[in-house]
Amino acid sequence: MNSIEQIINEEIRVVENGSITTPAGFFAGGLHCGIKRKKLDLGWLYSVVPATAACVYTTNQFQAPPLIVTKEGIEKSQKIQGVIVNSGIANACTGNQGLSNAYEMRKLFAEQMNIQEYLVAVSSTGVIGEQLPMEKIKSGISEIGDIQRQNDPSEFEKAILTTDTFSKHVCVQLQIDGKTVTIGGTAKGSGMIHPNMATMLGFITTDAVVKEADLQIALKQVVDKTFNMITVDGDTSTNDMVLLLANQQANHQELSILHPQWQLFMEGLEMVCRSLAKQIAKDGEGATKLIEVQVQGASSCEDAKKVAKSIIGSNLVKTAVFGEDPNWGRIIAAIGYSGAQLNPEHLKVRLGPFTVIEKGLPFPFSEAEAKHYLQQNEVIQIFADLYCGGGKATAWGCDLTYDYVKINASYRT
Amino acid sequence: MNSIEQIINEEIRVVENGSITTPAGFFAGGLHCGIKRKKLDLGWLYSVVPATAACVYTTNQFQAPPLIVTKEGIEKSQKIQGVIVNSGIANACTGNQGLSNAYEMRKLFAEQMNIQEYLVAVSSTGVIGEQLPMEKIKSGISEIGDIQRQNDPSEFEKAILTTDTFSKHVCVQLQIDGKTVTIGGTAKGSGMIHPNMATMLGFITTDAVVKEADLQIALKQVVDKTFNMITVDGDTSTNDMVLLLANQQANHQELSILHPQWQLFMEGLEMVCRSLAKQIAKDGEGATKLIEVQVQGASSCEDAKKVAKSIIGSNLVKTAVFGEDPNWGRIIAAIGYSGAQLNPEHLKVRLGPFTVIEKGLPFPFSEAEAKHYLQQNEVIQIFADLYCGGGKATAWGCDLTYDYVKINASYRT
């Protein structure tokens, strides 16, 4: 992970091997309950006290039952103490039966933990349109007992995966009012990834003390710059969400947008979300390379986002990166159809260290060296300067490969 | 071609083996001038008299020099008599040099044909960012002499191709004022195909007599329902256009929107454009299947288009069709993120003859039979009824295959 993460603020420290249970008062684990054939498929997360909760959800109009249930719970008290997640079946497009299964799953975990039902968030990911095997889930939940002894965040990280090839985690620490605040996170998702919450689940924990309303503002702002700036295939799923829990164990003065160190907390949160977003993009189905597109000089941040997403979403750019072909024509075409305001006579484009377009025209570069850059690096950077204003944005994605086709042509068989 | 075309109006007759030179007074041919290694790369089209011209162009903001030159010519007199097209190099992102090359190419062909320069349309398709080899083009154009003897529309059809695997043509006839009117067409394009004119060229000829302004209206309306409803990879190119020439040789009363048979002419034109659009989608890079998505019950035609394009553009739907997997969950997800107004509790989806969603929920069907349908058919149909209103749209695309990745990972090498 750290190879693709840059430290921007020296006051923020990356915790090696840190996770969602590094912040004080969080426990997590995962087990196999039988939805999948062999792999872990049921994960749980627990806070010693009800944590202030913020959540962002998919914009897909078909929202799956677990989302409806989780949303309802958070709206009741803005607090969550436990999270139960299954992978393998998404419990989406499952009608009334699916909704009552989601409620049932929440109730089972609440009873097992001896907490109120509305303090439990429920989440499911996997195939759409199948009902959950409730007997298996019930039996799995009944195995969750001694949270201290069973605590193993790496098992939670594994239990939420579908077609991911590696589990994802990150953890940072910073000082607020002289107290150490820790922020940890994990996420899953590698197909159906696109701006606005795709087949993606993100769970972020912190022991910070944060004012409820401001926690939601913080999460929304940061998600817009991170998770919503990745795309694997342009598809947006029915199930997905990022949940942020702050359980107040760090014992500093309450953070709010008025606190002098609010910005530091925001940067720590952004670092966690950016790292997870990049890990997801890097693990895009079939991907061999992470692509990072940085756009500047746009007439607005919205325009910068349009251009960045247009480039990162282009199947032709993605296949060119896979083919290690410095085919800048496809980049310029993607900029041209982005819909953003352009200044064609001033446009500048770089592929890694190589300027390929200057003042809107091809700029001489060594094809051999550019090809070498594409061959030798796992992270490919594309920069575009539109010379229209001060708007900036960064987006992440991955190459489009034979394996993407293979994985998705045979997902259910 | 005819296997994928249905006759809607009995007054319209498909001309077997008809082409752009079936309408009276048109001649066309193609030759090899050396831009490509072996294949034909220079095509020409000529009308015995200046033809009334209508044209629609790419919406990509980086418009290539040939487009600028053609647009300028048409704007001068709304007439075109000759068309010169090269494939292999797109003459896009080529700056002032590219612009003067496009003018030069126009001038060379005008001189060769002994017509005014502004009566010549110029078109280029292929790799972006390289300059045209003008000596080769000059030498090629000098070989175009006896248009009657050299007339061979199949060579024109071949000379405009890039990664296409077959040439495309269609021709229909209908009666206007008791006179036979013929409409012929050809097109190219198989990658960078997306709504709003992608790497796509379309040339349509007719001997009809049509009022200038109404010819442009007719073309725009028909293109919106046909060429702008196909997508191969979501990328929109810098070069592309559909040119319609009407050379008045059929000698009936001038057609205009007030003529009683205007609708018949429009239907003939739509049939030609729809057939070409479907041929392009079928020949999508690496495609093994043509996908047709029909949406009805949308709250508006715009919404119906959004849903149809969302489904046809989904990489996950495309790979599922390639994998012959009746994975309707991906169809419903694509409908959900289309942005159209939905009525989730009434949604109905069919995959070929199989209802897979009824009232928004999975409807029991035989997976084995549905798989058999996907395996046995080259044209896969998806129907969605949104139950929100009367809006309808149809879109066409293709599956996403290993060969798409192969073709685009190695296009320039």
Side-chain angles (χ1 to χ4, degrees):
Chain A
M1 180 281 297
N2 290 320
S3 65
I4 61 169
E5 191 49 66
Q6 70 271 50
I7 309 283
I8 290 165
N9 189 320
E10 288 185 1
E11 294 176 65
I12 302 170
R13 186 175 79 82
V14 173
V15 182
E16 292 296 329
N17 301 316
S19 75
I20 48 169
T21 62
T22 310
F26 284 102
F27 299 89
L31 51 88
H32 173 74
C33 78
I35 304 171
K36 291 181 178 172
R37 207 155 48 85
K38 275 187 167 177
K39 291 185 177 168
L40 302 191
D41 51 19
L42 192 67
W44 59 272
L45 170 63
Y46 183 76
S47 166
V48 290
V49 296
T52 302
C55 199
V56 290
Y57 307 90
T58 182
T59 56
N60 196 302
Q61 287 187 68
F62 296 102
Q63 296 202 343
L67 258 68
I68 295 168
V69 170
T70 297
K71 214 183 245 181
E72 188 191 288
I74 293 178
E75 277 167 11
K76 189 168 172 82
S77 70
Q78 201 74 22
K79 295 260 188 280
I80 287 293
Q81 189 166 5
V83 182
I84 186 82
V85 193
N86 76 276
S87 59
I89 290 179
N91 191 9
C93 300
T94 45
N96 290 333
Q97 179 68 48
L99 191 61
S100 70
N101 285 346
Y103 279 119
E104 175 71 11
M105 192 167 155
R106 178 171 87 156
K107 184 170 170 230
L108 289 166
F109 188 58
E111 286 174 357
Q112 191 71 13
M113 295 290 109
N114 200 21
I115 57 178
Q116 296 287 337
E117 288 179 39
Y118 65 80
L119 291 176
V120 172
V122 191
S123 184
S124 299
T125 178
V127 174
I128 295 176
E130 292 182 19
Q131 298 292 349
L132 291 173
M134 290 310 294
E135 278 310 308
K136 290 177 180 175
I137 285 175
K138 187 174 180 178
S139 149
I141 289 174
S142 74
E143 289 174 33
I144 305 165
D146 182 341
I147 56 163
Q148 304 233 9
R149 199 178 49 76
Q150 291 179 318
N151 181 48
D152 185 343
S154 73
E155 292 193 334
F156 180 89
E157 290 163 10
K158 284 177 198 144
I160 63 176
L161 305 182
T162 52
T163 54
D164 306 59
T165 65
F166 57 84
S167 59
K168 296 153 184 83
H169 53 92
V170 60
C171 182
V172 302
Q173 284 182 332
L174 44 93
Q175 304 292 315
I176 301 283
D177 300 333
K179 310 266 183 176
T180 297
V181 162
T182 308
I183 310 173
T186 185
K188 66 78 49 174
S190 71
M192 236 195 227
I193 292 296
H194 197 57
N196 304 319
M197 300 297 99
T199 296
M200 193 192 75
L201 298 176
F203 300 98
I204 298 153
T205 55
T206 178
D207 42 23
V209 189
V210 190
K211 194 177 164 194
E212 273 172 30
D214 292 355
L215 192 71
Q216 182 66 34
I217 292 168
L219 183 64
K220 178 78 179 72
Q221 278 184 10
V222 167
V223 164
D224 276 347
K225 286 201 270 186
T226 56
F227 291 112
N228 282 346
M229 291 305 288
I230 56 176
T231 187
V232 168
D233 53 21
D235 283 271
T236 306
S237 139
T238 51
N239 278 54
D240 305 334
M241 64 178 205
V242 176
L243 178 64
L244 165 59
L245 302 180
N247 72 358
Q248 311 108 28
Q249 302 299 293
N251 218 15
H252 52 81
Q253 299 255 319
E254 186 183 65
L255 277 167
S256 73
I257 54 174
L258 301 173
H259 190 289
Q261 287 178 291
W262 176 252
Q263 201 47 43
L264 178 61
F265 174 73
M266 286 289 281
E267 282 178 33
L269 183 62
E270 185 173 337
M271 227 171 112
V272 166
C273 291
R274 188 173 57 238
S275 170
L276 292 173
K278 288 165 77 171
Q279 290 179 62
I280 289 171
K282 191 170 190 220
D283 197 19
E285 286 174 341
T288 67
K289 290 175 193 300
L290 172 70
I291 308 175
E292 178 174 276
V293 177
Q294 292 181 26
V295 174
Q296 63 180 45
S299 66
S300 66
C301 285
E302 275 316 296
D303 263 19
K305 280 185 182 181
K306 273 187 201 166
V307 172
K309 286 179 181 177
S310 183
I311 297 170
I312 210 82
S314 159
N315 277 356
L316 289 170
V317 171
K318 290 152 66 76
T319 44
V321 170
F322 173 57
E324 297 167 341
D325 175 7
N327 191 331
W328 53 266
R330 295 177 181 176
I331 300 171
I332 207 168
I335 296 171
Y337 64 69
S338 66
Q341 187 192 325
L342 300 177
N343 194 343
E345 286 169 18
H346 288 88
L347 178 73
K348 181 173 180 166
V349 177
R350 271 198 295 131
L351 178 63
F354 305 98
T355 297
V356 293
I357 302 282
E358 176 85 35
K359 295 189 187 302
L361 291 175
F363 188 83
F365 67 97
S366 159
E367 288 252 348
E369 284 174 32
K371 198 170 176 63
H372 188 76
Y373 165 76
L374 291 169
Q375 282 166 338
Q376 294 302 308
N377 290 279
E378 276 192 21
V379 183
I380 302 303
Q381 292 184 301
I382 298 171
F383 302 89
D385 193 332
L386 309 187
Y387 287 89
C388 288
K392 283 185 187 186
T394 303
W396 297 275
C398 59
D399 53 348
L400 175 60
T401 70
Y402 296 116
D403 279 350
Y404 177 85
V405 177
K406 187 173 177 185
I407 291 164
N408 286 299
S410 59
Y411 180 49
R412 304 194 314 159
T413 50
Chain B
M1 180 281 296
N2 289 321
S3 64
I4 60 170
E5 190 51 65
Q6 69 272 49
I7 309 284
I8 290 165
N9 189 320
E10 288 185 1
E11 293 176 65
I12 302 171
R13 187 176 78 83
V14 173
V15 182
E16 293 295 331
N17 301 315
S19 74
I20 49 170
T21 62
T22 310
F26 285 101
F27 299 89
L31 52 88
H32 173 75
C33 78
I35 305 172
K36 291 180 177 171
R37 206 156 46 86
K38 275 188 164 175
K39 292 183 177 170
L40 301 191
D41 51 20
L42 192 68
W44 59 271
L45 170 64
Y46 183 77
S47 166
V48 291
V49 296
T52 302
C55 199
V56 289
Y57 307 91
T58 183
T59 56
N60 196 302
Q61 287 187 68
F62 296 102
Q63 295 202 344
L67 256 68
I68 296 168
V69 170
T70 297
K71 216 183 244 183
E72 187 191 289
I74 292 178
E75 278 166 10
K76 190 169 169 82
S77 71
Q78 202 74 21
K79 295 259 189 283
I80 287 293
Q81 190 165 7
V83 181
I84 185 82
V85 193
N86 76 277
S87 59
I89 290 180
N91 191 11
C93 301
T94 44
N96 290 333
Q97 180 67 47
L99 191 61
S100 70
N101 285 346
Y103 278 119
E104 175 69 11
M105 192 167 155
R106 179 171 85 157
K107 185 173 169 225
L108 289 166
F109 188 59
E111 286 173 358
Q112 191 71 11
M113 295 290 108
N114 201 22
I115 57 177
Q116 296 288 336
E117 287 179 40
Y118 64 81
L119 291 176
V120 172
V122 191
S123 184
S124 298
T125 178
V127 174
I128 296 176
E130 291 181 20
Q131 297 293 349
L132 290 172
M134 290 308 294
E135 279 309 309
K136 290 177 179 174
I137 286 175
K138 186 174 179 177
S139 148
I141 289 174
S142 74
E143 289 174 33
I144 305 165
D146 183 341
I147 57 162
Q148 305 233 6
R149 201 180 47 78
Q150 292 179 316
N151 181 50
D152 185 344
S154 73
E155 292 194 333
F156 179 88
E157 291 162 10
K158 284 178 196 140
I160 62 176
L161 305 182
T162 52
T163 54
D164 305 60
T165 65
F166 57 83
S167 58
K168 296 152 184 83
H169 53 92
V170 61
C171 182
V172 303
Q173 284 182 331
L174 43 94
Q175 304 293 314
I176 301 284
D177 300 332
K179 309 268 183 174
T180 297
V181 163
T182 307
I183 310 174
T186 185
K188 66 79 50 173
S190 70
M192 236 194 225
I193 292 294
H194 197 59
N196 304 320
M197 299 297 99
T199 297
M200 194 193 75
L201 299 175
F203 300 97
I204 298 154
T205 55
T206 178
D207 43 22
V209 190
V210 190
K211 195 178 164 195
E212 274 173 30
D214 293 354
L215 192 70
Q216 182 66 35
I217 291 168
L219 183 63
K220 177 79 179 72
Q221 278 183 9
V222 167
V223 164
D224 277 346
K225 286 201 271 187
T226 55
F227 291 112
N228 282 346
M229 291 304 289
I230 56 175
T231 187
V232 168
D233 53 21
D235 282 272
T236 307
S237 140
T238 52
N239 278 55
D240 305 334
M241 62 179 206
V242 176
L243 177 65
L244 165 60
L245 302 180
N247 73 358
Q248 310 107 30
Q249 302 300 293
N251 218 16
H252 51 81
Q253 298 255 321
E254 184 183 67
L255 277 168
S256 73
I257 54 174
L258 302 173
H259 190 290
Q261 287 177 291
W262 176 251
Q263 201 46 43
L264 178 61
F265 174 73
M266 285 290 281
E267 281 178 34
L269 183 61
E270 185 175 336
M271 226 171 112
V272 165
C273 291
R274 188 173 56 237
S275 170
L276 292 172
K278 288 166 77 170
Q279 291 178 62
I280 289 171
K282 191 170 190 220
D283 197 19
E285 286 173 341
T288 67
K289 290 176 192 302
L290 172 69
I291 307 175
E292 178 175 276
V293 177
Q294 292 181 27
V295 175
Q296 64 181 45
S299 67
S300 65
C301 286
E302 275 317 297
D303 262 19
K305 280 186 183 182
K306 273 187 200 166
V307 171
K309 286 180 181 177
S310 184
I311 297 171
I312 209 84
S314 160
N315 276 356
L316 289 170
V317 171
K318 289 152 65 77
T319 44
V321 170
F322 173 57
E324 298 168 339
D325 175 8
N327 191 331
W328 54 267
R330 296 176 180 176
I331 300 171
I332 208 168
I335 296 170
Y337 63 70
S338 67
Q341 187 193 325
L342 300 178
N343 194 345
E345 286 169 19
H346 289 87
L347 178 72
K348 181 174 181 165
V349 177
R350 271 198 296 131
L351 178 63
F354 305 98
T355 297
V356 293
I357 300 283
E358 177 86 33
K359 295 189 187 300
L361 291 175
F363 188 83
F365 66 98
S366 158
E367 287 253 348
E369 283 174 31
K371 198 167 176 66
H372 187 76
Y373 166 75
L374 291 170
Q375 282 166 340
Q376 294 302 309
N377 290 279
E378 276 191 21
V379 183
I380 302 303
Q381 291 184 301
I382 298 171
F383 304 89
D385 194 330
L386 309 187
Y387 286 91
C388 289
K392 283 185 187 185
T394 303
W396 298 274
C398 60
D399 53 349
L400 174 60
T401 69
Y402 296 115
D403 280 351
Y404 177 84
V405 177
K406 185 172 178 185
I407 291 164
N408 286 300
S410 60
Y411 179 49
R412 303 194 314 160
T413 48

